Short mmCIF file of all heavy atoms in Angstrom, two decimals:
data_model
loop_
_atom_site.label_atom_id
_atom_site.label_comp_id
_atom_site.label_asym_id
_atom_site.label_seq_id
_atom_site.Cartn_x
_atom_site.Cartn_y
_atom_site.Cartn_z
N SER A 19 112.96 87.42 100.91
CA SER A 19 113.11 86.37 99.91
C SER A 19 114.40 86.53 99.12
O SER A 19 114.87 85.58 98.50
CB SER A 19 111.91 86.35 98.96
OG SER A 19 111.95 87.47 98.10
N GLY A 20 114.95 87.74 99.11
CA GLY A 20 116.20 88.01 98.42
C GLY A 20 116.04 88.60 97.04
O GLY A 20 116.97 89.22 96.51
N ARG A 21 114.87 88.48 96.43
CA ARG A 21 114.64 89.03 95.09
C ARG A 21 113.14 89.09 94.83
O ARG A 21 112.42 88.15 95.13
CB ARG A 21 115.33 88.16 94.03
CG ARG A 21 115.14 88.62 92.59
CD ARG A 21 115.89 87.67 91.64
NE ARG A 21 115.53 87.89 90.24
CZ ARG A 21 116.14 88.73 89.43
NH1 ARG A 21 117.14 89.46 89.89
NH2 ARG A 21 115.76 88.85 88.16
N PHE A 22 112.67 90.23 94.29
CA PHE A 22 111.24 90.40 94.00
C PHE A 22 111.11 91.23 92.73
O PHE A 22 110.65 92.36 92.76
CB PHE A 22 110.57 91.09 95.20
CG PHE A 22 109.05 91.11 95.17
CD1 PHE A 22 108.34 91.64 96.25
CD2 PHE A 22 108.32 90.63 94.09
CE1 PHE A 22 106.96 91.69 96.26
CE2 PHE A 22 106.93 90.67 94.08
CZ PHE A 22 106.26 91.21 95.17
N VAL A 23 111.56 90.66 91.62
CA VAL A 23 111.49 91.34 90.33
C VAL A 23 110.19 90.99 89.61
O VAL A 23 109.49 91.85 89.07
CB VAL A 23 112.71 90.98 89.46
CG1 VAL A 23 112.55 91.55 88.04
CG2 VAL A 23 113.99 91.51 90.11
N THR A 24 109.84 89.70 89.61
CA THR A 24 108.60 89.25 88.98
C THR A 24 107.46 89.45 89.96
O THR A 24 107.43 88.85 91.03
CB THR A 24 108.70 87.77 88.60
OG1 THR A 24 109.81 87.58 87.73
CG2 THR A 24 107.43 87.31 87.91
N GLY A 25 106.53 90.31 89.61
CA GLY A 25 105.43 90.61 90.52
C GLY A 25 104.14 90.88 89.78
O GLY A 25 104.03 90.63 88.58
N GLY A 26 103.18 91.43 90.50
CA GLY A 26 101.88 91.71 89.90
C GLY A 26 101.22 90.44 89.40
O GLY A 26 101.55 89.33 89.83
N PRO A 27 100.27 90.56 88.47
CA PRO A 27 99.55 89.39 87.98
C PRO A 27 100.43 88.38 87.26
O PRO A 27 100.02 87.23 87.09
CB PRO A 27 98.51 90.00 87.03
CG PRO A 27 98.32 91.40 87.53
CD PRO A 27 99.66 91.83 88.01
N HIS A 28 101.62 88.79 86.81
CA HIS A 28 102.53 87.83 86.20
C HIS A 28 103.18 86.94 87.25
O HIS A 28 103.48 85.76 87.00
CB HIS A 28 103.61 88.56 85.40
CG HIS A 28 104.54 87.64 84.66
ND1 HIS A 28 104.10 86.65 83.80
CD2 HIS A 28 105.90 87.55 84.66
CE1 HIS A 28 105.14 86.00 83.30
NE2 HIS A 28 106.25 86.52 83.81
N GLY A 29 103.37 87.46 88.44
CA GLY A 29 103.98 86.68 89.51
C GLY A 29 103.00 85.83 90.27
O GLY A 29 103.36 84.79 90.84
N ASP A 30 101.74 86.26 90.32
CA ASP A 30 100.75 85.54 91.12
C ASP A 30 99.36 85.92 90.62
O ASP A 30 99.10 87.10 90.33
CB ASP A 30 100.90 85.95 92.60
CG ASP A 30 100.22 84.98 93.55
OD1 ASP A 30 99.73 83.93 93.08
OD2 ASP A 30 100.17 85.28 94.76
N ALA A 31 98.47 84.97 90.53
CA ALA A 31 97.09 85.25 90.13
C ALA A 31 96.39 86.05 91.22
O ALA A 31 96.76 86.01 92.40
CB ALA A 31 96.34 83.95 89.86
N GLY A 32 95.35 86.78 90.84
CA GLY A 32 94.60 87.58 91.81
C GLY A 32 93.10 87.41 91.65
O GLY A 32 92.61 87.08 90.56
N LEU A 33 92.38 87.62 92.75
CA LEU A 33 90.92 87.53 92.76
C LEU A 33 90.34 88.62 93.66
O LEU A 33 90.94 88.97 94.68
CB LEU A 33 90.45 86.17 93.30
CG LEU A 33 90.68 84.93 92.43
CD1 LEU A 33 90.40 83.67 93.25
CD2 LEU A 33 89.79 84.97 91.20
N THR A 34 89.17 89.10 93.30
CA THR A 34 88.43 90.00 94.18
C THR A 34 88.11 89.29 95.50
O THR A 34 87.74 88.12 95.51
CB THR A 34 87.12 90.44 93.52
OG1 THR A 34 87.41 91.12 92.31
CG2 THR A 34 86.32 91.37 94.43
N GLY A 35 88.27 90.01 96.61
CA GLY A 35 87.78 89.52 97.89
C GLY A 35 88.69 88.58 98.64
O GLY A 35 88.24 87.90 99.57
N ARG A 36 89.98 88.52 98.26
CA ARG A 36 90.89 87.59 98.95
C ARG A 36 91.72 88.28 100.04
O ARG A 36 92.57 87.63 100.65
CB ARG A 36 91.82 86.92 97.95
CG ARG A 36 91.18 85.77 97.22
CD ARG A 36 92.18 84.72 96.79
NE ARG A 36 93.25 85.25 95.96
CZ ARG A 36 93.99 84.48 95.16
NH1 ARG A 36 93.78 83.18 95.10
NH2 ARG A 36 94.96 85.01 94.44
N LYS A 37 91.48 89.55 100.29
CA LYS A 37 92.26 90.25 101.31
C LYS A 37 91.32 90.88 102.34
O LYS A 37 91.41 92.06 102.68
CB LYS A 37 93.15 91.32 100.66
CG LYS A 37 94.34 90.72 99.91
CD LYS A 37 95.33 90.08 100.86
CE LYS A 37 96.48 89.39 100.14
NZ LYS A 37 96.09 88.08 99.58
N ILE A 38 90.41 90.06 102.89
CA ILE A 38 89.36 90.61 103.75
C ILE A 38 89.90 91.09 105.10
O ILE A 38 89.32 92.00 105.70
CB ILE A 38 88.21 89.60 103.95
CG1 ILE A 38 88.69 88.29 104.56
CG2 ILE A 38 87.49 89.36 102.63
CD1 ILE A 38 87.58 87.30 104.87
N LEU A 39 91.00 90.52 105.58
CA LEU A 39 91.56 91.00 106.85
C LEU A 39 92.42 92.23 106.63
O LEU A 39 92.50 93.10 107.51
CB LEU A 39 92.34 89.89 107.54
CG LEU A 39 91.49 88.68 107.95
CD1 LEU A 39 92.33 87.64 108.66
CD2 LEU A 39 90.33 89.11 108.84
N VAL A 40 93.06 92.33 105.47
CA VAL A 40 93.74 93.58 105.10
C VAL A 40 92.71 94.70 104.98
O VAL A 40 92.95 95.85 105.38
CB VAL A 40 94.51 93.40 103.78
CG1 VAL A 40 95.04 94.74 103.26
CG2 VAL A 40 95.67 92.42 103.97
N ASP A 41 91.55 94.38 104.44
CA ASP A 41 90.49 95.39 104.25
C ASP A 41 89.90 95.87 105.56
O ASP A 41 89.32 96.96 105.61
CB ASP A 41 89.36 94.80 103.41
CG ASP A 41 89.69 94.69 101.94
OD1 ASP A 41 90.64 95.37 101.49
OD2 ASP A 41 89.01 93.91 101.23
N THR A 42 90.03 95.09 106.63
CA THR A 42 89.30 95.41 107.85
C THR A 42 90.25 95.75 109.01
O THR A 42 90.77 96.85 109.05
CB THR A 42 88.34 94.26 108.21
OG1 THR A 42 89.07 93.01 108.25
CG2 THR A 42 87.22 94.14 107.18
N TYR A 43 90.49 94.82 109.91
CA TYR A 43 91.20 95.15 111.15
C TYR A 43 92.45 94.31 111.38
O TYR A 43 92.94 94.19 112.50
CB TYR A 43 90.23 95.00 112.34
CG TYR A 43 88.94 95.75 112.11
CD1 TYR A 43 87.78 95.08 111.71
CD2 TYR A 43 88.89 97.13 112.25
CE1 TYR A 43 86.61 95.77 111.46
CE2 TYR A 43 87.71 97.83 112.00
CZ TYR A 43 86.58 97.13 111.61
OH TYR A 43 85.42 97.82 111.36
N GLY A 44 92.97 93.70 110.32
CA GLY A 44 94.21 92.96 110.43
C GLY A 44 94.13 91.75 111.32
O GLY A 44 95.12 91.36 111.92
N SER A 45 92.95 91.17 111.43
CA SER A 45 92.62 89.99 112.24
C SER A 45 92.53 90.29 113.72
O SER A 45 92.33 89.39 114.53
CB SER A 45 93.59 88.81 111.99
OG SER A 45 94.79 88.95 112.73
N VAL A 46 92.64 91.55 114.13
CA VAL A 46 92.47 91.91 115.54
C VAL A 46 91.03 91.69 115.97
O VAL A 46 90.75 91.28 117.09
CB VAL A 46 92.92 93.36 115.79
CG1 VAL A 46 92.56 93.82 117.19
CG2 VAL A 46 94.42 93.50 115.54
N ALA A 47 90.10 91.95 115.07
CA ALA A 47 88.68 91.70 115.34
C ALA A 47 88.23 90.46 114.58
O ALA A 47 88.89 89.99 113.65
CB ALA A 47 87.84 92.91 114.92
N ARG A 48 87.07 89.96 114.97
CA ARG A 48 86.47 88.85 114.23
C ARG A 48 85.99 89.34 112.86
O ARG A 48 85.93 90.54 112.59
CB ARG A 48 85.32 88.25 115.04
CG ARG A 48 85.82 87.39 116.18
CD ARG A 48 84.75 87.08 117.21
NE ARG A 48 84.58 88.18 118.15
CZ ARG A 48 84.17 88.02 119.40
NH1 ARG A 48 83.87 86.81 119.85
NH2 ARG A 48 84.04 89.06 120.20
N HIS A 49 85.65 88.40 112.00
CA HIS A 49 85.21 88.74 110.64
C HIS A 49 84.08 87.81 110.23
O HIS A 49 84.17 86.60 110.46
CB HIS A 49 86.38 88.63 109.66
CG HIS A 49 86.16 89.36 108.37
ND1 HIS A 49 85.20 88.98 107.45
CD2 HIS A 49 86.77 90.46 107.86
CE1 HIS A 49 85.24 89.81 106.42
NE2 HIS A 49 86.19 90.71 106.63
N GLY A 50 83.05 88.37 109.63
CA GLY A 50 81.91 87.56 109.20
C GLY A 50 82.18 86.74 107.96
O GLY A 50 81.41 85.83 107.65
N GLY A 51 83.25 87.07 107.21
CA GLY A 51 83.62 86.27 106.05
C GLY A 51 83.30 86.90 104.72
O GLY A 51 83.82 86.47 103.69
N GLY A 52 82.44 87.90 104.68
CA GLY A 52 82.05 88.50 103.41
C GLY A 52 83.03 89.57 102.96
O GLY A 52 83.50 90.38 103.76
N ALA A 53 83.33 89.58 101.65
CA ALA A 53 84.19 90.62 101.07
C ALA A 53 83.34 91.84 100.69
O ALA A 53 82.11 91.79 100.70
CB ALA A 53 84.92 90.06 99.86
N PHE A 54 84.03 92.93 100.35
CA PHE A 54 83.35 94.21 100.09
C PHE A 54 83.34 94.59 98.61
O PHE A 54 82.30 94.98 98.07
CB PHE A 54 84.04 95.34 100.86
CG PHE A 54 84.10 95.16 102.35
CD1 PHE A 54 85.11 95.76 103.09
CD2 PHE A 54 83.16 94.40 103.02
CE1 PHE A 54 85.17 95.62 104.47
CE2 PHE A 54 83.21 94.24 104.40
CZ PHE A 54 84.23 94.85 105.12
N SER A 55 84.48 94.55 97.97
CA SER A 55 84.65 95.20 96.67
C SER A 55 83.76 94.60 95.59
O SER A 55 83.56 93.38 95.53
CB SER A 55 86.11 95.15 96.24
OG SER A 55 86.90 95.99 97.06
N GLY A 56 83.25 95.48 94.75
CA GLY A 56 82.38 95.09 93.65
C GLY A 56 80.93 94.91 94.01
O GLY A 56 80.11 94.56 93.16
N LYS A 57 80.58 95.18 95.28
CA LYS A 57 79.20 94.99 95.74
C LYS A 57 78.54 96.33 96.03
O LYS A 57 79.09 97.16 96.74
CB LYS A 57 79.19 94.14 97.02
CG LYS A 57 79.73 92.73 96.84
CD LYS A 57 79.75 91.98 98.15
CE LYS A 57 80.31 90.57 97.98
NZ LYS A 57 80.39 89.84 99.27
#
């Protein structure tokens, strides 16, 4: 992008459970859709 100074929650909003493929197998495997954290 050429510049990444503004980051974290100031740069983008965040929510629990929005990175389910990062949490698992990087989309190499199928996914049931349920998130993990906080449960």
Side-chain angles (χ1 to χ4, degrees):
S19 72
R21 179 179 168 89
F22 191 176
V23 173
T24 303
H28 183 53
D30 197 6
L33 290 169
T34 300
R36 280 208 303 200
K37 287 292 176 283
I38 59 176
L39 297 181
V40 171
D41 284 341
T42 53
Y43 309 101
S45 81
V46 172
R48 284 165 278 209
H49 198 293
F54 302 154
S55 291
K57 297 177 181 178

